[in-house]
Amino acid sequence: MRHVLVTGAAGGIGRAIAERFAAQGATLTLADREPAPLDDLAAHLTTATTGVMTADLTDADAPAELVSRAWAEQGPVDVLVNAAGVYPSLDMAELTAEAWDRLFAVNLRAPVLATAAYARLAAARGEGGTVVNISSGSALRARPGGGPYASSKAALEMATRAAALELGAHGIRVNAVSPGFVPVDSACNPVSEEYAAAIGANPLGRPGTPEDIARAVCWIAGPEAAWITGEILRVDGGSSTGALHLPRIWPPATPAPADATKGHPA
């Protein structure tokens, strides 16, 4: 039976991840900022052995403390899922050092420090382990008001690769799952209807669900992905393949100009 530590477990995606691991019979340690939604989730997961911990991930000591407490209270952690994150709307011209630092503390520093603490314990144990970071399609493209968030996720993807490179010698795999647009009911990270309508287009024609992401996380953390590390798994309905919302360069029924190959559309 695996022991899985999930940060951000009370959020829409984090909760779905916890529920899926619970259905597989895992022992769970669930971490988030507020106790009430964690207690509600733990009560819901009647099929799993579950512990809950609250933490403010803007505290530099919190990530390592979460890992060490989970390890001490419920045994060695086999899977660490760094799902906690915030995505405020921050215009680059209005950005402050405080806002930047808070965003990066939660979205980048916390998963990196949790991974480092986990790596030390897992390496000493000598039985390997698995880390899954939750990234975002924003790592590949910025949007108005989302530059700082996109920057934090791009950095997290590089940190994922760097950790995979260094920790593989200890049998520790480090990957990331990058969701496309997934509507969740979140007071912490609200999304306007206008934004949801604009970003939701993708080749498969529907927004994602937390369960879509949870399935990917459980798969890449599991034995079927045993020879995969340092990868960013895009679970986005194909939205990262290109700009589906743009019109064609010319209408389909119009023959291409003779010198069309000389053009360089952006």
Side-chain angles (χ1 to χ4, degrees):
M1 181 182 297
R2 293 189 296 175
H3 178 192
V4 182
L5 168 59
V6 183
T7 72
I13 289 176
R15 183 183 179 103
I17 291 168
E19 290 173 343
R20 190 155 188 90
F21 275 115
Q24 295 179 352
T27 294
L28 295 170
T29 298
L30 309 176
D32 214 303
R33 189 175 59 177
E34 300 295 335
L38 280 178
D39 292 339
D40 174 71
L41 175 57
H44 172 69
L45 300 178
T46 56
T47 60
T49 301
T50 307
V52 297
M53 300 178 183
T54 57
D56 180 355
L57 294 179
T58 62
D59 179 351
D61 294 327
E65 289 174 356
L66 276 179
V67 173
S68 61
R69 279 184 58 199
W71 201 284
E73 293 180 11
Q74 297 207 91
V77 175
D78 301 289
V79 180
L80 167 63
V81 181
N82 290 305
V86 292
Y87 42 97
S89 181
L90 295 171
D91 293 333
M92 296 297 283
E94 305 299 326
L95 190 62
T96 66
E98 180 181 8
W100 178 273
D101 289 347
R102 181 181 183 278
L103 174 64
F104 270 71
V106 177
N107 289 5
L108 178 64
R109 187 181 69 186
V112 168
L113 292 180
T115 298
Y118 176 69
R120 292 190 292 270
L121 291 169
R125 181 189 181 202
E127 295 185 21
T130 301
V131 178
V132 183
N133 295 319
I134 302 301
S135 182
S136 165
S138 292
L140 298 178
R141 56 182 184 180
R143 54 177 171 75
Y149 174 74
S151 300
S152 72
K153 292 300 186 178
L156 180 61
E157 292 191 1
M158 178 50 71
T160 298
R161 297 184 183 99
L165 181 71
E166 296 187 23
L167 301 180
H170 300 289
I172 300 169
R173 300 189 300 113
V174 186
N175 293 291
V177 170
S178 172
F181 177 60
V182 177
V184 295
D185 183 15
S186 172
C188 178
N189 296 316
V191 171
S192 70
E193 291 183 7
E194 180 184 14
Y195 175 78
I199 200 171
N202 61 65
L204 294 185
R206 68 165 178 85
T209 67
E211 290 72 25
D212 288 322
I213 310 308
R215 284 191 289 269
V217 169
C218 290
W219 176 79
I220 207 166
E224 292 184 348
W227 207 47
I228 298 175
T229 194
E231 287 299 320
I232 314 300
L233 179 58
R234 310 271 175 210
V235 186
D236 59 7
S239 61
S240 57
T241 58
L244 184 66
H245 63 284
L246 293 179
R248 291 176 180 269
I249 299 173
W250 50 76
T254 302
D259 60 347
T261 56
K262 297 179 181 180
H264 299 280

